[in-house]
Amino acid sequence: MYRLKIVTSFAAAHCLINYQGDCENLHGHNWKVEVEVTASELDKAGLGIDFKVLKQETNSLLRTLDHKYLNELDPFREISPSSENISRYLYAELSRRLNDGNVTVASITVWESDNAAATYYE
């Protein structure tokens, strides 16, 4: 089994729902996103998945969040756009795009600061 990882980022604003404190107010982050996938087999080029494809699919998805107010986007209209919920959303969406029987999304880690992150995996 092989594990591959890319790191990318996006910037967006949000406010946490049902939170008692400053983060209930509108604020923003420069989120760092780690995408880890597994591959059980390598292709003829010796790759589990081309990093170029992994980056393209991830960045295509992140463009839908970048420089947006997350609370106004469909995935977060009913739930708080916390790092935990963002990581779960990215996991589900990237799994739909990438999982093919060989490649499987293993985990998504969303860093909202240099020392605070949430990881979602199944």
Side-chain angles (χ1 to χ4, degrees):
M1 188 66 75
Y2 302 90
R3 185 177 294 262
L4 299 94
K5 178 176 16 177
I6 63 161
V7 178
T8 187
S9 62
F10 73 99
H14 73 156
C15 53
L16 297 179
I17 301 167
N18 297 318
Y19 182 83
Q20 303 301 312
D22 290 339
C23 292
E24 196 167 37
N25 297 319
L26 178 64
H27 65 285
H29 296 281
N30 292 316
W31 275 280
K32 181 171 77 171
V33 177
E34 297 179 18
V35 176
E36 291 194 38
V37 301
T38 59
S40 54
E41 303 286 331
L42 300 181
D43 64 15
K44 291 179 183 176
L47 306 176
I49 184 173
D50 189 335
F51 282 124
K52 183 169 105 177
V53 171
L54 188 52
K55 290 174 188 176
Q56 284 174 340
E57 291 296 332
T58 301
N59 288 328
S60 171
L61 177 57
L62 293 182
R63 276 193 294 278
T64 68
L65 306 179
D66 192 44
H67 285 83
K68 301 286 190 324
Y69 176 40
L70 299 179
N71 297 68
E72 293 180 342
L73 301 179
D74 285 340
F76 305 108
R77 287 190 194 278
E78 302 294 323
I79 62 170
S80 189
S82 62
S83 293
E84 293 87 343
N85 283 329
I86 294 167
S87 64
R88 186 180 67 206
Y89 166 73
L90 295 174
Y91 180 96
E93 290 300 311
L94 284 173
S95 292
R96 284 188 324 102
R97 295 176 184 211
L98 297 172
N99 291 4
D100 65 5
N102 181 48
V103 172
T104 303
V105 175
S107 67
I108 304 290
T109 301
V110 174
W111 292 83
E112 68 175 40
S113 71
D114 288 340
N115 55 7
T119 300
Y120 185 84
Y121 64 96
E122 294 181 358

